[in-house]
């Protein structure tokens, strides 16, 4: 392949060149497929990810990562050119190759939050990828997503704060009309007790506009007689402290249950 223009090669041109080098049976996969689909994310642009049928033996080329698949035709999205695996397949493969659980969760949960797919569709696709690495972990993440979890931090809250300490289950992403046709969503709301728990990730909560939006949301809850607790990434290292605070707030609001400590040093036991 050659190009008839000068200057840096656009990413799309590099993708076509890589596919032509391995095609026509090759298909875009992984992060390359996600970027081609237009999914927002921090995808690598220095490597082109391609999938080829398992029976093929291919050589290595700089800047191209090739994986071999036994059932590649069944994973493709219709008759597109260049061929590309379905969005759900690309998401699951990218998530399974991530280095840690937070990145795996971010890949699939961000796509669901962008409304590019759903946890149910990803779970269905996961059933067909029987040899996918980290498959069990991804299933747990997606089951949480089907329950309303939309971020890694929310997943930490559900698993390590609520469930591990015997707290009641909150309603997730509660839609609230906030006047003048303005709609807000509360991350976690314990509806019988008037308690709201908001979770702030590092991204998107440092600028003044986001802080004002958060304060407005908390003030709206207070005007409705609700108490708001707000947590950030300290949940990852201090889930027991958060659990003790949520439990205390719930009991002040009428919860008659009893949280349980997850260890001898758990803050809930203090």
């Amino acid at each position: 392949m050659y190009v008839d223009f000068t200057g840096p090669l656009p990413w799309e041109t590099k993708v076509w060149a890589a596919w032509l080098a391995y095609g026509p049976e090759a298909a875009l996969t992984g992060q390359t497929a996600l970027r081609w689909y237009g999914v927002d994310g921090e995808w690598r642009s220095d490597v082109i990810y391609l999938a080829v049928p398992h029976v093929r033996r291919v050589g290595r080329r700089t800047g191209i990562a090739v994986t071999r698949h036994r059932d590649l035709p069944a994973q493709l999205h219709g008759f597109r050119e260049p061929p590309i695996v379905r969005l759900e397949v690309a998401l699951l493969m990218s998530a399974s190759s991530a280095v840690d659980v937070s990145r795996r969760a971010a890949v699939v949960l961000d796509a669901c939050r962008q409304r590019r797919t759903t946890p149910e569709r990803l779970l269905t696709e996961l059933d067909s990828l029987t040899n996918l690495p980290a498959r069990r972990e991804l299933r747990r993440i997606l089951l949480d997503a089907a329950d309303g979890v939309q971020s890694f931090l929310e997943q930490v809250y559900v698993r390590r704060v609520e469930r591990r300490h015997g707290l009641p289950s909150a309603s997730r992403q509660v839609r609230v009309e906030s006047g003048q046709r303005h709609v807000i969503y509360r991350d976690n709301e314990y509806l019988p007790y008037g308690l709201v728990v908001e979770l702030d990730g590092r991204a998107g909560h440092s600028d003044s506009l986001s802080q004002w939006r958060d304060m407005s949301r908390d003030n709206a809850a207070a005007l409705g007689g609700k108490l708001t607790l707000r947590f950030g990434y300290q949940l990852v290292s201090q889930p027991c402290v958060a659990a003790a605070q949520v439990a205390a707030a719930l009991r002040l609001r009428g919860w008659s249950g009893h949280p349980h400590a997850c260890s001898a040093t758990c803050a809930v036991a203090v």
Side-chain angles (χ1 to χ4, degrees):
M1 177 182 177
Y2 68 91
V3 295
D4 59 356
F5 57 85
T6 60
L9 286 178
W11 178 78
E12 292 79 3
T13 303
K14 294 179 181 179
V15 172
W16 275 103
W19 176 72
L20 288 171
Y22 286 93
E25 295 177 312
L28 310 187
T29 190
Q31 295 188 32
T32 301
L34 295 179
R35 185 173 175 182
W36 197 267
Y37 276 120
V39 179
D40 291 336
E42 297 178 358
W43 316 124
R44 293 187 62 176
S45 60
D46 59 328
V47 177
I48 306 301
Y49 294 88
L50 296 176
V52 299
H54 191 269
V55 295
R56 284 195 58 186
R57 296 294 185 271
V58 297
R60 294 183 178 181
R61 294 174 185 260
T62 302
I64 304 175
V66 180
T67 53
R68 296 160 56 227
H69 301 257
R70 295 186 182 279
D71 55 350
L72 182 58
Q75 299 172 359
L76 299 182
H77 184 289
F79 298 95
R80 299 183 60 165
E81 193 170 286
I84 187 170
V85 301
R86 289 189 297 279
L87 172 62
E88 288 75 20
V89 174
L91 283 167
L92 291 169
M93 288 183 174
S94 296
S96 72
S97 64
V99 296
D100 57 45
V101 64
S102 63
R103 180 58 182 163
R104 290 171 190 156
V107 169
V108 293
L109 295 177
D110 285 353
C112 291
R113 189 168 59 249
Q114 294 172 33
R115 301 186 183 277
R116 302 305 303 267
T117 186
T118 66
E120 292 75 16
R121 284 160 59 182
L122 286 165
L123 283 166
T124 298
E125 196 70 69
L126 187 63
D127 288 338
S128 67
L129 302 175
T130 55
N131 295 320
L132 190 71
R135 189 166 177 267
R136 291 184 179 180
E137 187 174 77
L138 285 170
R139 179 174 293 279
R140 289 195 296 269
I141 293 170
L142 291 171
L143 289 173
D144 286 342
D147 189 39
V149 172
Q150 292 192 349
S151 70
F152 172 65
L153 195 60
E154 290 181 31
Q155 187 184 51
V156 170
Y157 181 79
V158 170
R159 290 187 184 182
R160 300 179 63 186
V161 177
E162 259 190 12
R163 295 176 184 169
R164 187 174 293 181
H165 296 92
L167 299 177
S169 180
S171 298
R172 319 287 178 206
Q173 301 303 317
V174 178
R175 188 177 190 273
V176 179
E177 298 284 349
S178 184
Q180 297 182 345
R181 297 182 180 180
H182 180 60
V183 176
I184 60 175
Y185 290 87
R186 293 169 178 160
D187 293 335
N188 302 274
E189 184 169 357
Y190 298 90
L191 295 170
Y193 310 109
L195 176 65
V196 176
V197 175
E198 298 286 8
L199 305 173
D200 297 344
R202 290 173 184 159
H205 285 81
S206 59
D207 59 280
S208 59
L209 180 60
S210 294
Q211 291 178 6
W212 171 249
R213 187 165 52 242
D214 291 342
M215 284 186 278
S216 296
R217 187 166 55 176
D218 293 349
N219 292 344
L223 291 173
K226 299 180 185 295
L227 171 66
T228 298
L229 298 182
R230 187 173 290 275
F231 299 101
Y233 268 81
Q234 71 266 32
L235 283 181
V236 177
S237 59
Q238 297 180 313
C240 299
V241 173
Q245 293 176 355
V246 173
L250 284 169
R251 291 186 65 82
L252 286 172
R253 291 275 172 155
W255 181 50
S256 59
H258 297 278
H260 55 252
C262 65
S263 67
T265 59
C266 179
V268 170
V270 177

